[in-house]
Amino acid sequence: MNKFLFILLFSFSFMQEPCEGTCFSEDEVINITNNIKELEFELEKTKEIEQNLNLQIKDYIKNDSLNISLISDYKNQLQWKEEMIDLVKPKWYDNKYLWFFGGMIITSGAVYLAGQID
């Protein structure tokens, strides 16, 4: 009888505590912890991806500012080219037709005069 009373007393002292609220089995708890670990891993991965994207955005902004400065330099270069073209207009004696017909007249005159010599 003492043994039975002793076992009964210990069985009440080591009983599972009553659950207040929602109780989960061990499998459910393991499932929840695995899901939490997966979500933490995905969160770390998304943070790394976000940092990488932020660095890429900064690089693109920097590259864009360089491109904008290059474009403005090219526009200035085109403007200077137009000014140089206006400044260096050909003179009246740089006309190719004038030289062609002048050369033709001089040559034909020389041939005519050479034909007059007897």
Coordinates of all heavy atoms in Angstrom, one line a residue, residues 9-53:
L9 N 1.5 9.6 -5.3 CA 2.0 10.9 -4.9 C 2.9 11.5 -6.0 O 2.8 12.7 -6.4 CB 2.6 10.8 -3.6 CG 3.1 12.2 -3.0 CD1 1.9 13.1 -2.7 CD2 3.9 11.9 -1.7
F10 N 3.9 10.7 -6.4 CA 4.8 11.1 -7.4 C 4.2 11.3 -8.8 O 4.6 12.2 -9.6 CB 6.0 10.1 -7.6 CG 7.1 10.4 -6.6 CD1 7.4 9.4 -5.6 CD2 7.8 11.5 -6.7 CE1 8.4 9.7 -4.8 CE2 8.9 11.8 -5.8 CZ 9.2 10.8 -4.8
S11 N 3.2 10.6 -9.1 CA 2.5 10.7 -10.4 C 1.8 12.1 -10.5 O 1.7 12.7 -11.5 CB 1.6 9.6 -10.7 OG 0.5 9.6 -9.8
F12 N 1.2 12.5 -9.3 CA 0.6 13.8 -9.4 C 1.6 15.0 -9.4 O 1.3 16.0 -9.9 CB -0.3 14.0 -8.1 CG -1.6 13.2 -8.2 CD1 -1.9 12.3 -7.3 CD2 -2.5 13.4 -9.3 CE1 -3.1 11.6 -7.4 CE2 -3.6 12.7 -9.4 CZ -4.0 11.8 -8.4
S13 N 2.8 14.7 -8.8 CA 3.8 15.8 -8.8 C 4.4 16.0 -10.1 O 4.9 17.1 -10.4 CB 4.8 15.6 -7.7 OG 5.5 14.4 -8.0
F14 N 4.6 14.9 -10.9 CA 5.2 15.0 -12.3 C 4.2 15.1 -13.4 O 4.6 14.8 -14.5 CB 6.2 13.9 -12.5 CG 7.4 13.9 -11.6 CD1 7.6 13.0 -10.6 CD2 8.3 15.0 -11.7 CE1 8.7 13.0 -9.8 CE2 9.4 15.0 -10.8 CZ 9.6 14.1 -9.9
M15 N 3.0 15.5 -13.2 CA 2.0 15.5 -14.2 C 2.3 16.7 -15.2 O 2.9 17.7 -14.8 CB 0.6 15.7 -13.6 CG 0.0 14.4 -13.1 SD -1.6 14.6 -12.5 CE -2.5 15.2 -13.8
Q16 N 1.8 16.6 -16.4 CA 1.9 17.7 -17.3 C 1.1 18.9 -16.8 O 0.0 18.7 -16.3 CB 1.5 17.3 -18.7 CG 1.7 18.3 -19.7 CD 1.2 17.9 -21.1 OE1 0.7 16.7 -21.2 NE2 1.3 18.7 -22.1
E17 N 1.7 20.1 -16.9 CA 1.0 21.2 -16.5 C -0.3 21.5 -17.4 O -0.2 21.3 -18.6 CB 1.9 22.5 -16.5 CG 3.0 22.3 -15.6 CD 3.9 23.6 -15.7 OE1 3.5 24.6 -16.2 OE2 5.1 23.5 -15.2
P18 N -1.3 22.0 -16.8 CA -2.5 22.2 -17.6 C -2.2 23.4 -18.6 O -1.5 24.3 -18.3 CB -3.6 22.6 -16.6 CG -2.8 23.0 -15.4 CD -1.6 22.3 -15.4
C19 N -2.8 23.2 -19.8 CA -2.5 24.2 -20.8 C -3.5 25.3 -20.7 O -4.7 25.1 -20.7 CB -2.6 23.5 -22.2 SG -2.3 24.6 -23.5
E20 N -3.0 26.5 -20.7 CA -3.9 27.7 -20.7 C -3.8 28.3 -22.1 O -2.8 28.7 -22.6 CB -3.4 28.7 -19.7 CG -3.5 28.2 -18.3 CD -3.0 29.2 -17.3 OE1 -2.7 30.4 -17.7 OE2 -2.8 28.9 -16.1
G21 N -4.9 28.4 -22.8 CA -4.9 29.0 -24.2 C -4.8 27.8 -25.2 O -5.4 26.8 -25.0
T22 N -3.9 28.0 -26.2 CA -3.8 27.0 -27.3 C -2.6 26.1 -26.9 O -1.5 26.6 -26.6 CB -3.5 27.7 -28.6 OG1 -4.6 28.7 -28.8 CG2 -3.5 26.7 -29.7
C23 N -2.8 24.8 -27.0 CA -1.7 23.9 -26.7 C -1.3 23.2 -28.1 O -2.2 22.9 -28.9 CB -2.2 22.8 -25.7 SG -2.6 23.5 -24.1
F24 N 0.0 23.0 -28.2 CA 0.5 22.4 -29.4 C 1.2 21.1 -29.1 O 1.8 21.0 -28.0 CB 1.5 23.3 -30.2 CG 0.9 24.6 -30.6 CD1 1.3 25.8 -30.0 CD2 0.0 24.6 -31.7 CE1 0.7 27.0 -30.5 CE2 -0.5 25.8 -32.2 CZ -0.2 26.9 -31.5
S25 N 1.1 20.1 -30.0 CA 1.9 18.9 -29.8 C 3.3 19.1 -30.2 O 3.7 20.2 -30.7 CB 1.3 17.8 -30.7 OG 1.5 18.0 -32.0
E26 N 4.2 18.1 -29.9 CA 5.6 18.3 -30.2 C 5.9 18.4 -31.7 O 6.7 19.2 -32.1 CB 6.4 17.1 -29.6 CG 6.5 17.1 -28.1 CD 7.4 16.0 -27.6 OE1 8.4 15.6 -28.3 OE2 7.1 15.4 -26.6
D27 N 5.1 17.7 -32.5 CA 5.3 17.8 -33.9 C 4.9 19.2 -34.4 O 5.6 19.8 -35.3 CB 4.4 16.8 -34.6 CG 4.9 15.4 -34.4 OD1 6.1 15.2 -34.1 OD2 4.1 14.4 -34.6
E28 N 3.8 19.7 -33.9 CA 3.4 21.1 -34.3 C 4.5 22.1 -33.8 O 4.8 23.1 -34.6 CB 2.1 21.4 -33.7 CG 0.9 20.6 -34.3 CD -0.4 20.9 -33.6 OE1 -0.4 21.3 -32.4 OE2 -1.4 20.8 -34.2
V29 N 5.1 22.0 -32.6 CA 6.1 22.9 -32.2 C 7.3 22.8 -33.0 O 7.9 23.8 -33.4 CB 6.4 22.6 -30.7 CG1 7.7 23.3 -30.2 CG2 5.3 22.9 -29.8
I30 N 7.7 21.6 -33.4 CA 8.9 21.4 -34.3 C 8.6 22.1 -35.7 O 9.4 22.7 -36.3 CB 9.2 19.9 -34.5 CG1 9.8 19.4 -33.2 CG2 10.2 19.7 -35.6 CD1 10.0 17.9 -33.1
N31 N 7.4 21.9 -36.2 CA 6.9 22.5 -37.4 C 7.0 24.0 -37.3 O 7.5 24.7 -38.3 CB 5.5 22.1 -37.8 CG 5.4 21.3 -39.0 OD1 6.4 21.1 -39.7 ND2 4.2 20.7 -39.3
I32 N 6.5 24.6 -36.3 CA 6.5 26.0 -36.1 C 7.9 26.5 -36.0 O 8.3 27.5 -36.7 CB 5.7 26.4 -34.8 CG1 4.2 26.1 -35.0 CG2 6.0 27.9 -34.4 CD1 3.4 26.3 -33.8
T33 N 8.8 25.8 -35.3 CA 10.2 26.3 -35.2 C 10.9 26.2 -36.6 O 11.7 27.1 -36.9 CB 11.0 25.5 -34.2 OG1 10.9 24.1 -34.5 CG2 10.5 25.8 -32.8
N34 N 10.6 25.2 -37.3 CA 11.2 25.1 -38.7 C 10.7 26.2 -39.6 O 11.5 26.8 -40.3 CB 10.9 23.7 -39.3 CG 11.7 22.6 -38.7 OD1 12.7 22.8 -38.0 ND2 11.2 21.4 -38.8
N35 N 9.4 26.5 -39.5 CA 8.9 27.6 -40.3 C 9.5 28.9 -39.8 O 9.8 29.8 -40.7 CB 7.3 27.7 -40.1 CG 6.6 26.6 -40.8 OD1 7.2 26.0 -41.8 ND2 5.4 26.3 -40.4
I36 N 9.7 29.1 -38.6 CA 10.4 30.4 -38.1 C 11.8 30.4 -38.6 O 12.2 31.5 -39.1 CB 10.3 30.4 -36.5 CG1 8.9 30.7 -36.1 CG2 11.2 31.5 -36.0 CD1 8.7 30.6 -34.6
K37 N 12.5 29.3 -38.6 CA 13.9 29.3 -39.1 C 13.9 29.6 -40.6 O 14.8 30.4 -41.1 CB 14.6 28.0 -38.8 CG 14.9 27.8 -37.4 CD 15.6 26.4 -37.2 CE 15.8 26.2 -35.7 NZ 16.4 24.9 -35.4
E38 N 13.0 29.1 -41.4 CA 12.9 29.3 -42.8 C 12.6 30.8 -43.1 O 13.2 31.4 -43.9 CB 11.8 28.5 -43.5 CG 12.2 27.0 -43.6 CD 11.1 26.2 -44.2 OE1 10.1 26.8 -44.7 OE2 11.2 25.0 -44.2
L39 N 11.7 31.4 -42.3 CA 11.3 32.8 -42.5 C 12.5 33.7 -42.1 O 12.7 34.7 -42.8 CB 10.1 33.1 -41.6 CG 8.8 32.5 -42.1 CD1 7.7 32.8 -41.1 CD2 8.4 33.0 -43.5
E40 N 13.2 33.3 -41.1 CA 14.4 34.1 -40.7 C 15.5 34.1 -41.8 O 16.1 35.1 -42.1 CB 15.0 33.6 -39.4 CG 14.2 34.0 -38.1 CD 14.7 33.4 -36.9 OE1 15.6 32.5 -37.0 OE2 14.3 33.8 -35.8
F41 N 15.7 32.9 -42.4 CA 16.6 32.8 -43.5 C 16.2 33.6 -44.7 O 17.0 34.3 -45.3 CB 16.7 31.3 -43.9 CG 17.7 31.0 -45.0 CD1 19.0 31.1 -44.8 CD2 17.2 30.7 -46.3 CE1 19.9 30.9 -45.9 CE2 18.0 30.5 -47.3 CZ 19.4 30.6 -47.1
E42 N 14.9 33.5 -45.0 CA 14.4 34.3 -46.1 C 14.5 35.8 -45.8 O 14.8 36.6 -46.7 CB 12.9 33.9 -46.4 CG 12.8 32.6 -47.1 CD 11.3 32.2 -47.3 OE1 10.4 33.1 -47.1 OE2 11.1 31.0 -47.7
L43 N 14.3 36.2 -44.6 CA 14.4 37.6 -44.2 C 15.9 38.1 -44.4 O 16.1 39.2 -44.9 CB 14.0 37.8 -42.8 CG 14.1 39.2 -42.2 CD1 13.1 40.1 -43.0 CD2 13.8 39.3 -40.8
E44 N 16.8 37.3 -44.0 CA 18.2 37.6 -44.2 C 18.6 37.7 -45.7 O 19.3 38.6 -46.1 CB 19.1 36.6 -43.5 CG 19.1 36.6 -42.0 CD 19.9 35.5 -41.4 OE1 20.7 34.8 -42.1 OE2 19.8 35.3 -40.1
K45 N 18.0 36.8 -46.4 CA 18.3 36.8 -47.9 C 17.7 38.0 -48.5 O 18.4 38.7 -49.3 CB 17.7 35.5 -48.5 CG 18.5 35.0 -49.6 CD 18.0 33.8 -50.4 CE 17.0 32.9 -49.7 NZ 16.6 31.8 -50.6
T46 N 16.5 38.4 -48.1 CA 15.9 39.6 -48.7 C 16.6 40.9 -48.3 O 16.8 41.8 -49.1 CB 14.4 39.7 -48.3 OG1 14.3 39.7 -46.9 CG2 13.6 38.6 -49.0
K47 N 17.2 40.9 -47.1 CA 18.0 42.0 -46.6 C 19.3 42.2 -47.5 O 19.7 43.3 -47.8 CB 18.3 41.9 -45.1 CG 17.2 42.2 -44.2 CD 17.6 42.2 -42.8 CE 16.4 42.5 -41.9 NZ 16.8 42.4 -40.4
E48 N 19.9 41.0 -47.7 CA 21.1 41.0 -48.6 C 20.8 41.5 -50.0 O 21.5 42.3 -50.6 CB 21.7 39.6 -48.6 CG 22.4 39.2 -47.3 CD 22.9 37.8 -47.4 OE1 22.9 37.2 -48.5 OE2 23.4 37.3 -46.4
I49 N 19.6 41.0 -50.5 CA 19.2 41.4 -51.8 C 18.9 42.9 -51.9 O 19.3 43.6 -52.8 CB 18.0 40.6 -52.3 CG1 18.4 39.1 -52.6 CG2 17.4 41.2 -53.5 CD1 17.3 38.2 -52.8
E50 N 18.3 43.4 -50.8 CA 18.0 44.8 -50.8 C 19.2 45.7 -50.7 O 19.4 46.7 -51.4 CB 17.1 45.1 -49.5 CG 16.7 46.6 -49.4 CD 15.9 46.8 -48.2 OE1 15.7 45.9 -47.3 OE2 15.4 48.0 -48.0
Q51 N 20.2 45.2 -49.9 CA 21.5 46.0 -49.9 C 22.2 46.0 -51.2 O 22.7 47.0 -51.7 CB 22.4 45.3 -48.8 CG 22.0 45.6 -47.4 CD 22.9 44.9 -46.4 OE1 23.7 44.1 -46.8 NE2 22.7 45.1 -45.1
N52 N 22.2 44.8 -51.9 CA 22.8 44.7 -53.2 C 22.1 45.7 -54.2 O 22.7 46.4 -55.0 CB 22.7 43.3 -53.7 CG 23.4 43.1 -55.0 OD1 24.2 43.9 -55.5 ND2 23.3 41.9 -55.6
L53 N 20.7 45.7 -54.2 CA 20.0 46.6 -55.0 C 20.2 48.0 -54.7 O 20.3 48.9 -55.6 CB 18.5 46.3 -55.0 CG 18.1 44.9 -55.6 CD1 16.6 44.7 -55.3 CD2 18.3 44.9 -57.0

